[in-house]
Amino acid sequence: MSPDPVTHVPPAGAAPVAPGGGVPERAVLEAVLMVIDEPVSAAEVAEGLGGTAEEVEAALEELAAAFTAEGRGFDLRRVAGAWRIYSRPEHAEAVERFLVGGRQARLTQAALETLAVVAYRQPVTRSRVAAVRGVNVDGVMRTLTTRGLVAEVGTEPSGAVLYGTTHLFLERIGLRDLGELPDLAPHLPEAGELDEIAAAMTAPVRPESAPQAPPEHPAAGE
């Protein structure tokens, strides 16, 4: 006689999460959102917990609205096409004072300025970024690339590498896409002007010509 198959019995009070078993309950969604280390899409939640992507998307929107209505210190945001829990902006000063305290490495002003140029002018070469900032940006670009905020996105016909921002950049500033960036681009130089500035920055400096002696005046009577 064959033994009875082993049946898994979930803990008491556990919500069903089997795929196809319906939309996960609010508590289940909250538990998953609290442990993820990067934004998760509705489709990924549906694949792992059940329901359709559309149903999960609606449930996440309801959960986000509930957090706001309840005045929670955190909110649920859709960023880069996915969802994640963040502390609310109005509590940023308190969070920074508690977590940072001057110990956590933050981007320098130079890095922030460089990142802004890349965000608004992408895809853009390092020489054009340097033209906008007026300084060499090689070191800063390496820092931004290492931190995953900027990445190579192609090359120009000349072979110059083009850079653009990443999904991590959108996640860190809480935007769905680049279309939500504030409208600052009109205040930056046009591409043609950047080329001229970049060329001027890389042109060799010509030595100053020796001053010429003033022409001699003919003597009186000559």
Side-chain angles (χ1 to χ4, degrees), residues 90-102:
E90 54 265 35
H91 305 309
E93 183 179 350
V95 172
E96 182 177 5
R97 188 167 60 247
F98 177 74
L99 292 179
V100 180

Side-chain angles (χ1 to χ4, degrees), residues 83-127:
W83 294 84
R84 188 176 183 180
I85 288 178
Y86 296 85
S87 59
R88 291 193 180 276
E90 54 265 35
H91 305 309
E93 183 179 350
V95 172
E96 182 177 5
R97 188 167 60 247
F98 177 74
L99 292 179
V100 180
R103 295 184 300 274
Q104 183 175 327
R106 290 175 287 180
L107 291 177
T108 63
Q109 184 66 30
L112 290 173
E113 292 174 1
T114 302
L115 183 58
V117 175
V118 175
Y120 281 101
R121 283 299 184 187
Q122 61 185 304
V124 65
T125 63
R126 276 191 287 189
S127 63

